[in-house]
Amino acid sequence: MRDHFEIRDGDLAGRIGRLTVPRAGVTVETPALLPVVNPNIDTIPPERLESEFGAEILITNSYIIKKNDHLREEALDVGLHEMLDFGGAIMTDSGSFQLAEYGEIDTTTEEILQFQHDIGTDIATPVDIPTPPDVDREQAEDDLEITKRAIADAEAVDTGEMLVNAPVQGSTYPDLREEAGRHAYESDLDVFPVGAVVPMMNAYRYGDMVDAVAAAKRGLGVDAPVHLFGAGHPMMLALAVALGCDLFDSAAYALYARDGRYLTVRGTEHLEDLEYLPCTCPICTEYSPDDLRAKGEKTQEKLLAEHNLHVTFAELRRIKQAIRDGDLMELVEERARSHPAMLDGYRALLDHTDQLEREDPASKGAFFYVSNESAYRPEVARHHDRLDRLTAEGNVLLTEGGIPSGDEFDAAWRVVPPFGPFPRALSETYPLTAEVPERLDRDAYEQAARGVARLVDENPDATFTLAHDDWPESALGLVPDAVEVESLNDVTEMLAAAATSDDPTSSSTDSSE
């Protein structure tokens, strides 16, 4: 167990944690945003990041500092914290980004870790190989071997109290990502960045990003603090937290501001296209779009950067509250509707339902069925698994609430889409208290039918009657042939007709004739 990371609360694979950073003498609450600070560009001073935005940790680039004579001497002389005027934790990158961009750098893991230690870094990074998406497998394997050697080299360096990152690479090969995660976790290092996902996010390949992170998480232990390198757009943070990522570094707030772009939780807007500012942060309440456009280039960039940070930190607070409330999935579903690529990411997340279910709390406050994707949530999979524990005997009625044509049953169970059957005694337990719309989609009925099939398979000596409320044929086709199936609508019409025929006052002719 890694004693520097403590999980305090969780929902799905997301968690609220405490990352102890001993060299800085601080504890960072996660999920946490690390604003990227370029030591050559003072967009928002680090002191303001801490005092006004609540940043507990930031990231800067030790390779850039090392290659600049003035910055290097200042950092060695006074240390990073005084140089940047920041009291929280400071993570530094190693130059791996420059390596990926330009092909080579003139430093080794041993050299850059020693330099990071000498300038007062709190969380350091070795020189790994960020392998881009879609390279051939041979290159991905070769690069991964170099990253593994960098991790081994980092273990050999005496870093004292400084924490060290163990990067997880592997390109778009899930098995390599899982292998990389397992290898990193077995090391003596401390924080686990999932690298080389920025090209996927820049291309809106959120489904591929989800698969890469999910594979890495399969190799990592639950107690591993996970950093999603280069991920800082507020639109995708809920999705990434639901996967189990704890740290996010963002240069987007500054880079986008430089291009006149305005971040929202639904995507990115260009300032020139806005007539209103759909936000209540200090910048958006003080200025109008015309006001911002009238500012000089540098002032406009600074104000946009501040807005971009405000909206990003606000989204992280919203995510933490969702974890506390147990409705992180509802927030992910809401964000998934902001962009088609985000919906791909959400559906990819649900492809890993079994993996999420292992960490998702067994009981929460509510289950809201808000889309057809809700039918595949971990709670539904867990309910189907738990049907194996339940025993059904004799002639069992499975009903959505009405009474079928026959009433000689040994037991009556409820059926609620998307979960399927359960004994009535469990009706008030989570998630069977779900709030569902009256007009359900086909996926909900099909999942309920799979639940019926699971119960039948586990209880071959019992007989079952399913009384359903107009299920679609696609769902009924999933019900085992051994189950007697009746539509409650047909039964209601039949009983109504029988009641009419038995009523002596009823007549098919007009009595006045």
Side-chain angles (χ1 to χ4, degrees):
M1 295 294 289
R2 283 168 165 82
D3 56 10
H4 59 280
F5 185 59
E6 177 188 5
I7 298 171
R8 306 297 295 273
D9 207 344
D11 191 20
L12 300 175
R15 56 270 188 103
I16 295 175
R18 290 168 58 85
L19 176 66
T20 300
V21 187
R23 200 174 192 204
V26 301
T27 298
V28 176
E29 184 179 79
T30 64
L33 178 73
L34 292 73
V36 174
V37 173
N38 186 326
N40 289 310
I41 303 173
D42 190 22
T43 305
I44 300 176
E47 186 279 328
R48 288 191 59 209
L49 294 175
E50 185 175 12
S51 63
E52 296 182 28
F53 296 87
E56 297 179 326
I57 183 171
L58 59 75
I59 184 170
T60 191
N61 193 304
S62 66
Y63 185 72
I64 291 176
I65 295 171
K66 187 172 186 285
K67 298 302 292 181
N68 182 293
D69 291 343
H70 170 72
L71 293 174
R72 181 179 66 252
E73 293 307 317
E74 183 181 2
L76 288 169
D77 182 33
V78 302
L80 270 185
H81 285 272
E82 184 172 336
M83 173 180 160
L84 296 179
D85 191 18
F86 186 74
I90 299 177
M91 179 186 291
T92 50
D93 200 358
S94 61
S96 295
F97 175 78
Q98 284 73 19
L99 179 62
E101 288 290 305
Y102 308 118
E104 60 179 339
I105 56 174
D106 58 350
T107 192
T108 65
T109 285
E110 295 93 332
E111 292 168 347
I112 200 67
L113 282 183
Q114 186 61 56
F115 179 71
Q116 290 174 90
H117 185 272
D118 291 345
I119 64 176
T121 292
D122 302 310
I123 307 174
T125 308
V127 180
D128 64 312
I129 304 293
T131 310
D134 308 318
V135 301
D136 63 71
R137 187 177 180 91
E138 183 178 3
Q139 179 184 338
E141 291 175 336
D142 290 345
D143 288 352
L144 182 53
E145 288 305 312
I146 296 173
T147 294
K148 288 180 178 179
R149 287 200 295 273
I151 290 173
D153 291 341
E155 288 183 284
V157 177
D158 183 5
T159 57
E161 289 190 321
M162 182 174 71
L163 302 181
V164 180
N165 286 319
V168 180
Q169 300 291 348
S171 186
T172 37
Y173 297 95
D175 61 320
L176 294 185
R177 288 282 185 177
E178 183 173 350
E179 176 190 336
R182 187 171 298 109
H183 179 270
Y185 184 71
E186 290 170 353
S187 75
D188 294 331
L189 304 187
D190 309 290
V191 180
F192 303 89
V194 179
V197 294
V198 172
M200 300 181 210
M201 292 185 287
N202 287 345
Y204 290 90
R205 294 171 57 179
Y206 288 107
D208 291 335
M209 182 273 288
V210 165
D211 290 339
V213 175
K217 287 283 293 185
R218 287 195 293 273
L220 295 167
V222 175
D223 63 334
V226 177
H227 181 174
L228 191 58
F229 253 145
H233 196 299
M235 180 175 69
M236 53 74 61
L237 290 177
L239 178 65
V241 170
L243 274 166
C245 297
D246 307 292
L247 301 169
F248 307 90
D249 63 281
S250 174
Y253 76 96
L255 295 176
Y256 283 33
R258 201 169 303 153
D259 293 336
R261 290 189 284 175
Y262 175 98
L263 296 184
T264 79
V265 295
R266 298 185 58 82
T268 307
E269 305 285 351
H270 288 272
L271 179 62
E272 63 187 26
D273 297 330
L274 292 175
E275 293 187 39
Y276 306 94
L277 299 180
C279 175
T280 58
C281 79
I283 303 304
C284 296
T285 53
E286 183 174 349
Y287 299 95
S288 70
D290 286 339
D291 294 335
L292 293 177
R293 286 189 285 263
K295 297 292 183 183
E297 182 178 325
K298 286 298 181 184
T299 301
Q300 177 184 296
E301 177 185 333
K302 172 180 165 297
L303 293 173
L304 277 179
E306 290 183 22
H307 156 78
N308 291 344
L309 269 182
H310 277 301
V311 74
T312 307
F313 275 107
E315 179 68 355
L316 274 181
R317 292 191 294 272
R318 189 176 294 113
I319 290 167
K320 290 178 183 179
Q321 188 60 49
I323 293 173
R324 291 282 194 213
D325 294 341
D327 57 13
L328 178 58
M329 186 62 95
E330 281 78 8
L331 181 60
V332 174
E333 291 207 41
E334 182 180 338
R335 296 292 178 256
R337 265 59 197 177
S338 64
H339 192 283
M342 285 298 301
L343 186 56
D344 284 337
Y346 175 46
R347 288 172 175 168
L349 178 75
L350 293 173
D351 288 341
H352 303 285
T353 284
D354 289 344
Q355 182 175 333
L356 297 177
E357 194 275 329
R358 289 192 287 273
E359 295 186 44
D360 192 40
S363 181
K364 307 180 192 179
F367 179 107
F368 290 94
Y369 192 101
V370 296
S371 72
N372 66 300
E373 288 89 9
S374 298
Y376 306 99
R377 285 176 51 166
E379 294 95 331
V380 178
R382 180 183 295 127
H383 175 70
H384 287 180
D385 289 341
R386 288 180 173 179
L387 288 172
D388 299 353
R389 307 178 189 176
L390 302 176
T391 300
E393 296 177 328
N395 190 12
V396 181
L397 169 65
L398 310 176
T399 178
E400 284 194 89
I403 300 174
S405 54
D407 58 1
E408 296 298 324
F409 298 101
D410 298 302
W413 289 32
R414 288 190 64 198
V415 177
V416 173
F419 303 101
F422 55 88
R424 292 181 181 275
L426 298 180
S427 295
E428 298 305 315
T429 63
Y430 181 86
L432 304 174
T433 53
E435 295 284 344
V436 299
E438 291 186 10
R439 300 177 182 179
L440 278 169
D441 49 71
R442 185 174 61 186
D443 299 75
Y445 295 115
E446 290 175 359
Q447 283 290 73
R450 292 185 182 100
V452 171
R454 184 76 171 258
L455 181 68
V456 172
D457 287 344
E458 292 298 320
N459 296 273
D461 295 330
T463 59
F464 296 91
T465 297
L466 171 64
H468 67 90
D469 188 6
D470 199 23
W471 284 15
E473 289 299 321
S474 62
L476 295 175
L478 298 172
V479 176
D481 293 338
V483 177
E484 183 177 344
V485 177
E486 292 193 28
S487 167
L488 290 173
N489 284 345
D490 293 344
V491 171
T492 299
E493 293 174 4
M494 179 185 67
L495 292 175
T500 301
S501 64
D502 292 340
D503 186 350
T505 64
S506 65
S507 173
S508 60
T509 60
D510 190 333
S511 60
S512 64
E513 291 183 354

